[in-house]
Amino acid sequence: ESQLIIKERQQTTFQVEELINLLDGGKEKTALRRSIEQTILSDPLMKTDKIGYLTREQKYVQSVRRMMYFFTDLAKRNKWNIEDPHCPEMLFLSRSLSSVVAFMIHMGAFVPSISSFGTLEQVSKWQPLAKECLIIGCYAQTELGHGTNLRRLETTSTFDRNTQEFIVNTPNLSSMKWWPGDMGKSANHAMVMAQLITNGENHGMQAFIVPIRDMTTHKPLPGVEVGNIGSIMSLEDTDNGYLRLNNVRIPKENMLAKYANVDRSGRFQQTGNNRLMYASMMNLRIVLTREQMIHALQKACTIAARYSCVRKQGSLTPNGPEIPIMDYVTQQNKVIPRIALAYALDFTIMEVRHRYVQFLADVTRGDLSNMAEMHAISSGIKANASERTVAGVETLRRACGGHGYSMASGLPYLLLSVTGSCTYEGENTVLYLQVARYLIKTAANISMGKSVDGSSAYLAENTEARCSATSQEEFYDHSLLDACFKHRSKQLLQSVAMDLQGLLAEGKQQMEAWNLLSIQLVNSAKAHIERYIVATSASFVRKLNCSLKVKKLLNQLCSLVALHQITNFPGDFLKDGYLDSHQLDLARKAEVKLLQSLRHNVVGLVDAFDFRDEILGSCIGAYDGNAYERLYDYAKNDVMNKNDVHEESYQYLRPHLHRG
Ligand SMILES: CC/C=C\C/C=C\C/C=C\CCCC(=O)SCCNC(=O)CCNC(=O)[C@H](O)C(C)(C)COP(=O)(O)OP(=O)(O)OC[C@H]1O[C@@H](n2cnc3c(N)ncnc32)[C@H](O)[C@@H]1OP(=O)(O)O
Ligand SMILES: Cc1cc2nc3c(=O)[nH]c(=O)nc-3n(C[C@H](O)[C@H](O)[C@H](O)COP(=O)(O)OP(=O)(O)OC[C@H]3O[C@@H](n4cnc5c(N)ncnc54)[C@H](O)[C@@H]3O)c2cc1C
């Protein structure tokens, strides 16, 4: 173990194990997670070859082999509960598997969609088959021509009264399904989202289970053309596919009919709120935020923090001893606010998940009153967490200098794989605009004197016109910081709501006015979600039952998240004079002081994320801090170094070198 990292751990002021337990949700949960990780990582059939040395095809094959074994054997043998995406086992499993892998969409989207859209009878038919991997499914919503605008999906499913079948068709190039994970090579069934047509009438998007490959030969079924869409930016363990359906007939029972059904004569009946067809996307947005985005940020923080403590460069005195780069305040400003953000997002998503589980129970009782708010929160948190994670991982990668550019650091892989999360499961701008839609409606309700509660209640509160802070210390106070975020959000919303009214009064159409103001609308949505994160994480910490040392530390992290936003994006806080430039200076000084106070706990804070080296996959971020030894070993093992002289050298170099 590097002496430098040992020294860092000696400076830690709190019990790391206490914080680990807290993040896991208790001592027992930590034990469960560690035993899951141990089982997975010690099983020879779950081993991965070094990912950097595999071809795209080898990565896919390896992933299919591992994951089929995992779902059909290992998870069952260990009786892990992987039924519910929100149960602890499922949360811990995705950590151990450490990337997007084969059958994630099958288990994470196809299986849950059966119960989201299916009747009890349909669930009891399809779910056991899918859970046992007796069928492999994908979630086929996006088309070549449309991903966001679901109303304009072109795939049709037309009811044939004579045969009591649906005819599923992708009538043209742009209507073919494009992107679904697990579809390219693995899936034999697809959950196809298509326009339902009965008796010549279009009833909008519904879900249909369409067999696409033969269950014996795995060849495409008649009328089906299916394949892989080709190389993508990352996530090469999976097979994103395309699918053309040429009037493929499926039985009437394959339309999932929880919220709408078609009788034998083709009469359509809506039995539930049609927005519930969209609501299933909330689940994946919440799951992905924790399982992919926050974990990626936590891993990148772990790598950059440990490396910054063992990397020495330069000194703070002329000809003095070299210091760890973590001692530079600029380096602290790159690493520590990201650690703070990783904690704040984790605390926030725990609360969101808790609320979502309650929301599901409400829906079962027929109560949809919280749907709009839940949709706004899940969309906003997904967009904000992915955006800040991708930016954060890139900052942390650069914070590792040259070694951050090497695949050996693990950082480029994290960055490439998490980048997609800004696009999939709802493109971020589009999701922010959904939040804005909710906010504008809320503003209208407030102006009509209606009461608002939950996460937007503050929009109806009276707030001070000026921030009251006169000292640095006040900028650590959560209620003062929350007031800054509330004010920013309120004034951005009020201003865009007024502009919208103005444009409508001028005679602009609603959608045109909306488009003209969409930059402001997105900013307003971001401000609302950032306030939600600041408030939710602080209140989560307030309620924690933990030691004073840990509480103090977590309170500092919450303050830092808020302060870092204010000092880096001060414009909207200054705009209407809520903060003045003197207060901004105080906030900046408060931030630097906080960075220095957190400095000696940096390694402890990332150790508490408790990522084993095998999961981290980084030469520079391993627990023992032996970065250089590992980098050297990595280089020695490069396939290019198999022989001292590369064959190509004989073929192309030697003839030229001997010309003279
Ligand atoms: C462990 C991990 C497990 C598995 C994962 C592993 C790997 C993951 C890798 C990749 C996964 C990627 C999967 C996918 O990408 S699947 C495809 C996802 N696609 C999308 O997200 C499409 C985005 N588009 C939309 O959501 C909508 O179409 C739209 C943007 C909302 C526009 O539709 P439109 O009908 O025009 O909407 P509006 O008129 O704006 O709204 C109508 C009405 O509905 C309400 N609404 C909209 N969305 C929802 C929702 N999700 N839930 C609840 N309600 C919703 C909206 O608020 C409005 O209500 P009003 O009352 O205001 O009228
Ligand atoms: C790795 C990966 C895995 C995926 N897996 C699946 C899967 O399993 N199943 C599946 O069905 N799909 C999947 N997708 C597709 C994904 O859900 C869509 O790509 C995503 O929803 C975005 O839609 P789009 O591609 O149509 O983007 P577009 O909507 O074309 O976005 C392009 C640009 O247009 C802008 N834009 C679009 N509409 C508006 C608007 N109304 N207002 C303002 N701006 C707008 C966007 O902000 C963006 O800047 C996956 C995608 C990726 C990258």
Side-chain angles (χ1 to χ4, degrees):
E1 205 166 317
S2 141
Q3 284 308 311
L4 287 164
I5 208 116
I6 291 175
K7 202 172 132 212
E8 291 289 335
R9 292 201 170 101
Q10 284 164 351
Q11 299 179 41
T12 306
T13 62
F14 65 99
Q15 293 294 324
V16 173
E17 192 65 18
E18 182 188 353
L19 197 44
I20 294 177
N21 296 160
L22 202 146
L23 288 173
D24 283 324
K27 247 188 197 159
E28 306 71 31
K29 300 258 172 65
T30 300
L32 172 67
R33 175 177 60 72
R34 286 181 174 155
S35 91
I36 289 175
E37 285 173 0
Q38 177 59 22
T39 309
I40 291 177
L41 296 171
S42 62
D43 189 318
L45 294 176
M46 288 302 291
K47 281 250 167 327
T48 48
D49 286 323
K50 280 213 174 75
I51 219 89
Y53 300 135
L54 297 182
T55 64
R56 191 262 179 267
E57 215 173 334
Q58 286 168 331
K59 284 181 201 166
Y60 166 71
V61 172
Q62 167 173 276
S63 185
V64 167
R65 170 185 57 73
R66 284 173 82 218
M67 295 314 296
M68 194 42 95
Y69 164 69
F70 174 82
F71 284 121
T72 60
D73 190 335
L74 191 65
K76 269 176 145 182
R77 225 181 323 124
N78 287 283
K79 299 192 172 58
W80 290 329
N81 170 16
I82 52 167
E83 312 264 303
D84 168 10
H86 300 281
C87 69
E89 280 96 332
M90 201 57 183
L91 300 179
F92 298 153
L93 285 171
S94 65
R95 249 178 81 108
S96 325
L97 299 171
S98 85
S99 82
V100 174
V101 287
F103 311 135
M104 280 279 200
I105 286 289
H106 167 73
M107 280 297 177
F110 182 74
V111 170
S113 297
I114 296 172
S115 44
S116 296
F117 302 131
T119 59
L120 286 179
E121 200 183 337
Q122 289 172 319
V123 174
S124 58
K125 171 178 173 182
W126 292 104
Q127 260 200 351
L129 294 173
K131 279 183 182 163
E132 296 284 321
C133 292
L134 294 169
I135 59 170
I136 302 293
C138 56
Y139 183 77
Q141 185 168 282
T142 307
E143 298 175 354
L144 186 56
H146 292 93
T148 293
N149 189 4
L150 299 177
R151 290 189 205 206
R152 290 298 175 97
L153 290 184
E154 294 174 278
T155 304
T156 52
S157 184
T158 308
F159 186 58
D160 180 348
R161 269 201 313 209
N162 300 324
T163 60
Q164 296 292 305
E165 289 171 319
F166 286 102
I167 305 166
V168 192
N169 197 28
T170 52
N172 49 33
L173 189 72
S174 58
S175 66
M176 82 169 95
K177 294 296 176 184
W178 197 272
W179 271 117
D182 290 331
M183 176 192 267
K185 292 285 144 193
S186 298
N188 45 36
H189 284 69
M191 171 88 62
V192 172
M193 306 308 276
Q195 304 287 351
L196 166 68
I197 298 170
T198 67
N199 300 331
E201 202 185 329
N202 188 331
H203 304 286
M205 187 179 89
Q206 296 294 335
F208 300 84
I209 296 191
V210 182
I212 56 172
R213 287 189 169 95
D214 186 278
M215 293 300 291
T216 316
T217 62
H218 201 62
K219 290 212 165 125
L221 289 168
V224 174
E225 185 191 330
V226 59
N228 214 47
I229 60 167
S231 282
I232 59 172
M233 202 162 159
S234 181
L235 308 180
E236 292 186 320
D237 292 20
T238 55
D239 50 333
N240 294 87
Y242 69 86
L243 173 73
R244 293 190 96 162
L245 299 168
N246 184 8
N247 292 321
V248 170
R249 286 179 171 267
I250 55 168
K252 179 172 178 292
E253 307 77 70
N254 285 23
M255 170 177 151
L256 295 181
K258 188 170 182 177
Y259 303 121
N261 59 53
V262 172
D263 72 11
R264 292 185 63 80
S265 69
R267 201 165 54 91
F268 172 78
Q269 200 191 1
Q270 184 83 47
T271 51
N273 188 314
N274 60 359
R275 287 188 193 103
L276 287 165
M277 286 310 291
Y278 290 161
S280 73
M281 285 182 275
M282 284 185 205
N283 175 47
L284 208 49
R285 285 173 189 155
I286 296 169
V287 170
L288 293 176
T289 300
R290 169 99 197 266
E291 304 313 292
Q292 290 181 357
M293 303 160 207
I294 300 175
H295 283 166
L297 185 59
Q298 291 177 339
K299 284 185 200 170
C301 286
T302 306
I303 296 168
R306 287 182 183 157
Y307 175 69
S308 299
C309 292
V310 298
R311 174 74 164 181
K312 284 186 168 182
Q313 191 103 236
S315 145
L316 288 177
T317 51
N319 303 320
E322 286 209 295
I323 55 162
I325 54 174
M326 188 53 102
D327 287 343
Y328 294 110
V329 174
T330 45
Q331 186 75 0
Q332 293 164 14
N333 191 41
K334 291 174 199 173
V335 178
I336 304 176
R338 269 87 222 167
I339 298 176
L341 178 65
Y343 274 92
L345 289 175
D346 208 343
F347 297 150
T348 306
I349 205 69
M350 287 191 214
E351 174 63 23
V352 172
R353 196 157 8 95
H354 174 69
R355 290 197 57 185
Y356 179 70
V357 171
Q358 278 178 340
F359 164 74
L360 285 183
D362 293 346
V363 172
T364 313
R365 289 197 310 273
D367 173 5
L368 300 183
S369 53
N370 290 323
M371 185 157 73
E373 191 199 0
M374 201 65 232
H375 167 46
I377 292 175
S378 55
S379 300
I381 195 83
K382 181 271 181 191
N384 201 255
S386 57
E387 175 178 301
R388 291 166 88 179
T389 292
V390 171
V393 174
E394 173 60 4
T395 300
L396 293 163
R397 190 192 66 71
R398 287 198 233 160
C400 295
H403 297 316
Y405 196 71
S406 165
M407 290 309 257
S409 71
L411 290 164
Y413 176 74
L414 279 176
L415 180 63
L416 287 173
S417 52
V418 82
T419 294
S421 63
C422 295
T423 305
Y424 54 64
E425 208 49 45
E427 197 279 328
N428 281 357
T429 305
V430 170
L431 293 185
Y432 278 131
L433 288 171
Q434 286 291 309
V435 180
R437 183 181 167 107
Y438 163 79
L439 290 175
I440 291 288
K441 283 191 171 185
T442 306
N445 284 339
I446 293 170
S447 68
M448 288 186 289
K450 291 190 189 164
S451 70
V452 278
D453 52 15
S455 55
S456 49
Y458 74 96
L459 293 167
E461 287 170 8
N462 288 324
T463 48
E464 303 288 321
R466 302 266 176 278
C467 171
S468 59
T470 54
S471 67
Q472 265 182 53
E473 283 64 36
E474 284 167 90
F475 277 102
Y476 303 129
D477 180 62
H478 289 175
S479 52
L480 181 128
L481 290 165
D482 189 31
C484 295
F485 279 76
K486 281 178 175 172
H487 183 86
R488 174 181 69 152
S489 175
K490 262 185 83 168
Q491 60 104 350
L492 286 175
L493 178 59
Q494 274 164 3
S495 143
V496 70
M498 264 173 58
D499 287 354
L500 191 59
Q501 275 180 355
L503 288 179
L504 296 175
E506 277 171 25
K508 290 260 187 303
Q509 293 298 308
Q510 166 76 24
M511 286 169 91
E512 192 190 353
W514 184 265
N515 189 30
L516 283 171
L517 295 172
S518 52
I519 298 173
Q520 282 165 257
L521 288 163
V522 167
N523 288 341
S524 166
K526 273 189 201 181
H528 173 69
I529 292 300
E530 284 171 10
R531 187 267 153 182
Y532 181 76
I533 293 167
V534 163
T536 309
S537 51
S539 117
F540 185 93
V541 171
R542 214 167 24 250
K543 287 187 246 158
L544 277 176
N545 188 8
C546 61
S547 68
L548 285 176
K549 281 182 181 161
V550 164
K551 190 156 268 196
K552 178 178 170 213
L553 200 60
L554 297 180
N555 276 329
Q556 286 182 321
L557 294 177
C558 290
S559 303
L560 181 58
V561 168
L563 272 174
H564 195 71
Q565 272 316 84
I566 294 175
T567 58
N568 282 271
F569 306 99
D572 291 329
F573 295 97
L574 296 170
K575 201 175 103 189
D576 67 344
Y578 186 76
L579 285 186
D580 61 29
S581 61
H582 173 63
Q583 287 171 320
L584 184 59
D585 284 343
L586 291 177
R588 289 209 164 104
K589 285 179 184 146
E591 187 185 10
V592 173
K593 213 166 155 193
L594 203 45
L595 291 176
Q596 288 176 326
S597 151
L598 287 162
R599 158 69 187 91
H600 51 277
N601 275 317
V602 153
V603 168
L605 282 168
V606 297
D607 282 352
F609 294 142
D610 206 24
F611 284 106
R612 285 174 53 152
D613 287 348
E614 304 95 309
I615 296 175
L616 216 48
S618 170
C619 293
I620 66 171
Y623 188 84
D624 63 11
N626 289 332
Y628 298 154
E629 291 82 344
R630 285 169 199 276
L631 283 171
Y632 179 50
D633 191 48
Y634 181 87
K636 293 290 274 183
N637 282 304
D638 189 308
V639 278
M640 296 269 282
N641 292 331
K642 211 168 40 197
N643 303 312
D644 278 344
V645 181
H646 200 284
E647 287 153 28
E648 308 304 313
S649 310
Y650 290 116
Q651 198 177 345
Y652 298 115
L653 287 186
R654 210 160 52 170
H656 293 286
L657 296 177
H658 292 283
R659 267 182 309 170

